[in-house]
């Protein structure tokens, strides 16, 4: 089983791969979620549900045998649009293109004509990444996060 990164354990030049994630990756992915999102992280039961959902796209970024990032997404039957449900990179591995690689790989796997995601209004780093990848703001979910912060809905036409 892969383990998550430890502070400073991986050299910045270490290559990464994007692979399909499985049920066996549940705990390392949860640790990445907690490191990346703190109190906003999905709990293990929710991640288990994602792991068991047949149509859910689940990808992981692996650096030196350790999971450094994760993305999950699915097609909304109601909207016909793909949704990135979660995407996160461990803080020790951020700034290396892993988030971009995960996002683009998930878009390809989803194969939808439009992809949406929700991001915290204050997460300017992630918003910048999404904008560089072609996402644009389309609406706002008021008080979306547990602390009352708004969530921006961003969309990309693929």
């Amino acid at each position: 089983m892969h383990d998550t990164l430890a502070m400073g354990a991986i050299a910045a030049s270490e290559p990464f791969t994007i692979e399909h994630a499985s049920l066996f990756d549940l705990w390392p992915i949860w640790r990445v979620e907690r490191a990346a999102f703190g109190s906003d992280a999905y709990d293990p039961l929710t991640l288990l549900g994602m792991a068991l959902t047949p149509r859910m796209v689940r990808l992981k970024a692996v650096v030196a045998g350790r999971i450094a990032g994760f993305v999950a997404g699915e097609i909304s039957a109601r909207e016909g649009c793909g949704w990135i449900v979660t995407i996160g990179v461990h803080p020790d591995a951020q700034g290396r293109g892993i988030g971009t690689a995960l996002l683009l790989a998930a878009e390809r796997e989803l194969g939808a004509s439009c992809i949406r995601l929700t991001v915290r209004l204050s997460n300017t780093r992630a918003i910048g990444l999404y904008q560089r990848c072609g996402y644009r703001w389309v609406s706002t979910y008021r008080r979306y996060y547990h602390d009352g912060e708004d969530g921006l809905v961003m969309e990309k036409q693929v």
Side-chain angles (χ1 to χ4, degrees), residues 12-152:
S13 61
E14 193 79 44
F16 64 88
T17 59
I18 305 297
E19 305 170 12
H20 286 95
S22 74
L23 183 60
F24 298 107
D25 298 315
L26 178 67
W27 294 113
I29 287 169
W30 180 58
R31 289 191 290 272
V32 169
E33 278 271 323
R34 282 189 324 176
F37 300 118
S39 62
D40 287 335
Y42 283 117
D43 60 76
L45 191 58
T46 302
L47 292 172
L48 176 62
M50 287 183 209
L52 296 175
T53 300
R55 297 170 317 281
M56 181 81 59
V57 169
R58 297 168 299 275
L59 302 170
K60 62 186 176 184
V62 179
V63 179
R66 297 181 179 138
I67 294 177
F70 174 71
V71 63
E74 64 184 337
I75 304 292
S76 167
R78 183 173 50 93
E79 300 169 324
C81 196
W83 274 92
I84 300 297
V85 177
T86 185
I87 181 170
V89 176
H90 193 285
D92 292 347
Q94 290 178 357
R96 301 180 49 204
I98 293 172
T100 300
L102 283 167
L103 183 61
L104 297 176
E107 290 173 4
R108 283 190 301 275
E109 291 268 337
L110 286 167
S113 61
C114 75
I115 309 285
R116 293 183 183 140
L117 53 79
T118 305
V119 60
R120 266 186 180 273
L121 177 63
S122 64
N123 193 345
T124 56
R125 186 173 185 174
I127 292 168
L129 178 144
Y130 302 143
Q131 288 174 332
R132 286 189 302 278
C133 289
Y135 286 79
R136 299 292 170 247
W137 171 83
V138 292
S139 65
T140 302
Y141 291 152
R142 299 283 177 214
R143 302 185 54 80
Y144 180 75
Y145 292 94
H146 73 279
D147 62 358
E149 186 171 353
D150 291 348
L152 301 182

Side-chain angles (χ1 to χ4, degrees), residues 2-18:
H2 295 291
D3 197 8
T4 53
L5 302 176
M7 292 292 289
I10 302 297
S13 61
E14 193 79 44
F16 64 88
T17 59
I18 305 297

